[in-house]
Amino acid sequence: MREILIVGGGYAGFYTAWGLEKKLRRGEAHVTVVDPRPYMTYQPFLPEVVAGSVEARHAAISLRRHLRRTRLIAGAVTEIRNSARTVTVRPETGPAFDLHYDVLVVTAGAVTRTFPIPGLSDQAYGLKHVEEAVAIRDRLLTSFDRAATLPRGPERSKLLTVTVVGGGFSGVEGFGELLGLATALLKRYPEIGAEELSFHLIEARDRILPEVTDRPGEWVVRSLEKRGARVHLNTQLVSAKDGHVLLSDGEEYDCGLLVWTAGNASNPIVHNHTDLPVDERGLLTVRADLRVSTATDVVADVWAAGDDASVPDLAAGRPDARTVPNAQHAVRQGRHLAKNIVASLRGRPTKDYVHRSLGVVATLGLGRGIFQYRRLVIKGFPAWLMHRGYHVLAIPSWERKARVFAVWATAALYGRDIVSLVSVQHPREAFVAGGEPRRSEKPTEDRDRLTA
């Protein structure tokens, strides 16, 4: 029986494995997925996890629940040696070991791109995983609790200051949802005035949301500023040491919550630890049918998709065009890849991946959104409904759809849940303290910090 090894259980990897389970005949091949996490993160819901509009566990799709005929290995692939048809796996516990394969699928996914900015690794949260989204939400809620007990002054202002770096979809959606959550919290915290909130969105380019055209992007900036936010364009983060933010335009201020969403980078496994062909960006070079290849030759029985693959965009009509690294492409590439692998195993021709965009849609907070398809632009509440409708249909399995919809329905009747569960990250603290009150560390040194 042939061994199909899938490196990474994100969008592309999950949908490839799911598709193979449905299409492979019994005894035709054995499928293995290697990923350090036991779930696929449905990333479009992370901003709503931040806002409390979606439960964290509902944005995580269990691999074991859905991939019932696939071998799942909890570990990280640290090296790919295609010359020996072997990968090295480092599990959470125990020594590293090698896995051999007949067919390799690389869907390791991208990582958050960071820079050597002073204080960034100590202060910032990423927004790529469920754990990060939960920590960001808990940090904001805890900041409100702490600020409500302090007199007005520098320490209180710092707690109520939020900075998001990165004006792409992830950053703008996360920023909009955080701003919406903070505004909603004011009703429950009469001690805090709306004028005390300080929200900053930092973008190095001259516009946000590059996936939409100029005028809709400008409308989003105006919409955020009307809600009291500051949008800094053509601006970079210079330092965040000890929670003191310094921007390239000279502005500086103390910040209690820093979120970094300034782009993706290729996975180090692909970029540095493989003998497979990669381009100047560190992405695997693939043909339109998702086979890994050099400029002249196909690498036999090796496939790639998702954020780590440089996939030709045949729908763009330009020879140098490549698909953008988003969920829409990753999901469809995973499904297409499963079909092509099965076709290859059975000696049938493969088909090229062609997908025309369905448009882009973003949430900007509860009841606010923007949608664009070519020249059609929809703003406000209708776009927000479209965002929710699209993603509740797109999330895998009817079980997850029902759970997410139930949370939305409950929130519509009773409002958001505003309980911070930051203490669950230190579950033994109450037991060890024995009931004695303990003074927490300074906000800028929270033990619950997750680095970007």
Side-chain angles (χ1 to χ4, degrees):
M1 191 184 309
R2 305 199 76 185
E3 291 287 337
I4 301 175
L5 177 61
I6 301 175
V7 178
Y11 283 117
F14 173 82
Y15 277 96
T16 299
W18 210 18
L20 287 172
E21 283 198 351
K22 297 173 183 177
K23 297 178 186 303
L24 287 171
R25 304 186 188 110
R26 189 169 298 277
E28 188 173 12
H30 184 259
V31 181
T32 299
V33 173
V34 181
D35 195 283
R37 288 179 170 82
Y39 55 83
M40 181 201 85
T41 302
Y42 191 73
Q43 291 182 352
F45 275 158
L46 292 186
E48 294 210 49
V49 172
V50 168
S53 301
V54 170
E55 289 287 338
R57 64 185 182 277
H58 297 164
I61 313 302
S62 170
L63 298 181
R64 291 192 178 273
R65 183 183 181 97
H66 296 91
L67 302 180
R68 299 176 183 177
R69 294 194 290 119
T70 298
R71 180 189 180 194
L72 299 172
I73 297 178
V77 171
T78 58
E79 186 178 5
I80 299 172
R81 298 181 302 280
N82 189 58
S83 57
R85 297 277 169 168
T86 303
V87 302
T88 300
V89 178
R90 184 182 64 213
E92 286 294 321
T93 57
F97 58 90
D98 289 343
L99 283 178
H100 297 275
Y101 60 83
D102 298 302
V103 178
L104 177 66
V105 180
V106 183
T107 54
V111 297
T112 301
R113 180 183 62 182
T114 58
F115 299 98
I117 297 172
L120 180 64
S121 62
D122 296 325
Q123 301 293 327
Y125 296 79
L127 187 52
K128 206 168 184 61
H129 302 289
V130 172
E131 308 95 299
E132 295 170 321
V134 172
I136 291 168
R137 169 179 164 78
D138 285 343
R139 180 64 174 262
L140 182 66
L141 293 173
T142 301
S143 291
F144 266 73
D145 285 333
R146 292 173 176 172
T149 65
L150 294 172
R152 293 200 178 199
E155 189 173 356
R156 175 162 158 152
S157 296
K158 181 175 183 177
L159 288 167
L160 298 175
T161 300
V162 175
T163 300
V164 175
V165 182
F169 260 78
S170 179
V172 171
E173 288 191 316
F175 184 78
E177 291 287 355
L178 271 172
L179 180 59
L181 173 60
T183 303
L185 287 175
L186 293 174
K187 299 177 182 178
R188 307 296 181 184
Y189 289 84
E191 306 93 337
I192 299 174
E195 72 282 357
E196 294 186 79
L197 299 182
S198 182
F199 275 70
H200 301 261
L201 177 63
I202 315 299
E203 172 52 47
R205 292 167 293 190
D206 61 355
R207 53 164 299 174
I208 62 174
L209 295 179
E211 295 88 348
V212 303
T213 52
D214 289 345
R215 293 184 65 183
E218 292 167 359
W219 176 84
V220 172
V221 171
R222 292 195 301 271
S223 174
L224 293 173
E225 290 178 340
K226 285 180 181 177
R227 294 162 62 189
R230 291 275 309 278
V231 179
H232 304 257
L233 301 177
N234 295 309
T235 305
Q236 297 178 348
L237 177 67
V238 175
S239 175
K241 194 171 182 180
D242 297 325
H244 185 74
V245 169
L246 175 62
L247 304 180
S248 59
D249 62 3
E251 185 169 348
E252 54 185 298
Y253 53 87
D254 288 334
C255 176
L257 173 58
L258 175 63
V259 182
W260 178 271
T261 66
N264 295 324
S266 63
N267 197 300
I269 302 162
V270 172
H271 191 250
N272 302 319
H273 304 292
T274 179
D275 55 358
L276 295 170
V278 297
D279 65 10
E280 66 280 357
R281 297 176 297 166
L283 303 178
L284 290 167
T285 56
V286 303
R287 297 194 174 186
D289 65 353
L290 305 179
R291 293 177 187 265
V292 174
S293 67
T294 65
T296 57
D297 300 311
V298 169
V299 180
D301 296 318
V302 180
W303 310 75
D307 293 353
D308 272 323
S310 180
V311 180
D313 189 353
L314 300 184
R318 303 190 313 272
D320 61 338
R322 296 293 182 268
T323 59
V324 295
N326 62 23
Q328 196 176 126
H329 279 297
V331 169
R332 286 161 178 78
Q333 286 171 10
R335 290 171 175 163
H336 191 85
L337 189 49
K339 296 176 184 177
N340 274 355
I341 291 173
V342 172
S344 177
L345 290 175
R346 296 173 185 172
R348 299 203 303 261
T350 58
K351 295 182 179 180
D352 290 345
Y353 172 76
V354 184
H355 173 66
R356 289 174 174 80
S357 174
L358 302 175
V360 292
V361 62
T363 174
L364 304 175
L366 194 64
R368 301 177 175 91
I370 186 166
F371 168 83
Q372 182 174 17
Y373 176 70
R374 297 182 180 177
R375 295 184 179 181
L376 174 64
V377 177
I378 299 175
K379 306 170 184 175
F381 186 73
W384 176 78
L385 284 179
M386 293 172 69
H387 177 274
R388 285 204 160 182
Y390 173 79
H391 285 298
V392 80
L393 292 175
I395 192 170
S397 85
W398 286 102
E399 170 260 342
R400 272 295 179 265
K401 299 179 200 297
R403 291 181 187 274
V404 169
F405 189 79
V407 171
W408 284 342
T410 303
L413 291 173
Y414 302 107
R416 308 174 196 248
D417 192 330
I418 61 169
V419 176
S420 169
L421 295 179
V422 68
S423 60
V424 303
Q425 298 174 41
H426 317 287
R428 297 185 64 253
E429 187 167 309
F431 171 74
V432 173
E436 290 290 334
R438 289 190 173 191
R439 185 175 178 82
S440 63
E441 300 173 18
K442 291 188 293 182
T444 56
E445 299 171 351
D446 274 73
R447 293 160 295 174
D448 59 296
R449 184 181 63 240
L450 297 176
T451 58

